[in-house]
Amino acid sequence: MSTAVFFHAHPDDEALLTAGTMAMLADEGHRVVLVVATAGERGLAEMPRGEELGRTRMDELYRSAAALGCARVVLLGYGDSGLAIDGGVADDRPDNAFIDADVEDAAQRLASVLKEEAADLLTIYDPAGGYGHPDHVQVYRVGSRAAEIAGTPIVLEATVDRDLLLRGVRLAARFYPAIDVRSFERAYSPRDAITHRVSVRRYAKAKRASMAAHASQATGGDGDRTLGAMLRIPGPAYRFVFGTEWFVRRGLPRGTRLRHPFDSP
């Protein structure tokens, strides 16, 4: 049995990017640990931002973790940095915002978990933080350093196939002209940089349960929420759309195609 630690910025991030892989590893008998930097108390939801939302989202996180078979959940306790209207760093963020945390200090805290768990694998995000959320970029910085400190042998960057994403976005833009296709052109990772393509179709039910656990993030705001739209996709189509999860492992030859998180060339 190996131990895999999945490091995310906010509750619900695990459901969107790594839930299928987490469920698969747990089902295979590996120990799966979920570490979250913040409680997501500044996320968009119908209830006001603040401590109550944070508590609600943590409850949702534990339900998601249970659906995926996680053995442990760890909250680092940083404040949700929020997001400015232009997608940058919010000016009204809390004093303990994750984005303002000293990278070395935060990395030492995560490294203590990695050492305690004798982690064989750590997942983080790509350097751009996927779609650029400041807390996601900080996950990359902190996670990369923590793996160095702890000597964690495998570090995978959870991402999305940008080529595939752009095809879908361009198709959607034909029907919804308001979609800004350009904002996706540098998001996530290009196909030839992706080293791991993990099939998680067998675990679609667990992944969907993980998404459904985060009910506070399925509604709220003026437009249709991404999570809510995903949960309305019918079962067969859901397995097709969300049946693969992508990762990048640095240092492997470009074009490497691996099928399992613990695979090596």
Side-chain angles (χ1 to χ4, degrees):
M1 182 180 70
S2 298
T3 297
V5 175
F6 290 77
F7 183 34
H8 287 283
H10 318 98
D12 89 342
D13 289 333
E14 85 291 346
L16 300 172
L17 284 176
T18 63
T21 302
M22 295 167 74
M24 180 187 74
L25 292 179
D27 184 56
E28 292 175 350
H30 302 291
R31 180 173 172 84
V32 175
V33 177
L34 174 57
V35 180
V36 181
T38 83
E41 69 276 8
R42 289 171 57 78
L44 182 61
E46 289 186 345
M47 69 174 61
R49 294 177 173 179
E51 292 185 7
E52 182 181 358
L53 176 58
R55 288 192 296 270
T56 296
R57 296 194 69 184
M58 284 306 300
D59 288 342
E60 293 172 344
L61 181 72
Y62 279 102
R63 287 196 289 273
S64 168
L68 299 176
C70 294
R72 181 185 180 192
V73 177
V74 179
L75 177 65
L76 295 186
Y78 291 102
D80 184 349
S81 304
L83 196 62
I85 295 175
D86 63 359
V89 179
D91 292 329
D92 59 344
R93 59 191 183 274
D95 294 337
N96 68 335
F98 184 45
I99 189 62
D100 295 322
D102 180 80
V103 170
E104 190 68 19
D105 289 345
Q108 289 286 355
R109 294 182 63 189
L110 177 58
S112 69
V113 177
L114 297 175
K115 292 176 182 178
E116 181 182 353
E117 292 287 347
D120 303 284
L121 180 151
L122 171 68
T123 73
I124 54 176
Y125 304 138
D126 55 39
Y131 62 92
H133 192 297
D135 280 341
H136 290 215
V137 175
Q138 187 76 326
V139 162
Y140 170 79
R141 296 174 184 144
V142 170
S144 298
R145 178 62 183 135
E148 291 177 354
I149 296 169
T152 304
I154 300 175
V155 179
L156 299 182
E157 299 169 10
T159 189
V160 173
D161 182 334
R162 184 195 298 162
D163 302 59
L164 186 62
L165 176 65
L166 279 172
R167 283 208 301 269
V169 169
R170 286 168 180 150
L171 177 62
R174 296 180 183 178
F175 304 95
Y176 302 96
I179 294 177
D180 182 8
V181 176
R182 291 176 301 175
S183 66
F184 293 91
E185 290 177 349
R186 294 189 177 182
Y188 299 104
S189 303
R191 176 169 297 175
D192 65 351
I194 293 172
T195 57
H196 292 66
R197 296 156 180 83
V198 181
S199 174
V200 296
R201 289 190 182 186
R202 287 181 55 197
Y203 301 94
K205 184 176 180 180
K207 183 166 183 171
R208 192 170 193 130
S210 172
M211 288 186 180
H214 296 284
S216 70
Q217 299 305 291
T219 59
D222 298 329
D224 194 15
R225 298 300 308 279
T226 301
L227 187 58
M230 290 176 174
L231 287 170
R232 290 195 295 273
I233 298 175
Y238 183 94
R239 286 191 294 274
F240 175 77
V241 173
F242 298 106
T244 302
E245 291 178 348
W246 299 271
F247 301 90
V248 175
R249 182 175 177 181
R250 301 287 165 176
L252 299 184
R254 210 167 181 90
T256 297
R257 298 179 67 89
L258 302 174
R259 300 298 183 185
H260 191 280
F262 289 117
D263 283 350
S264 296

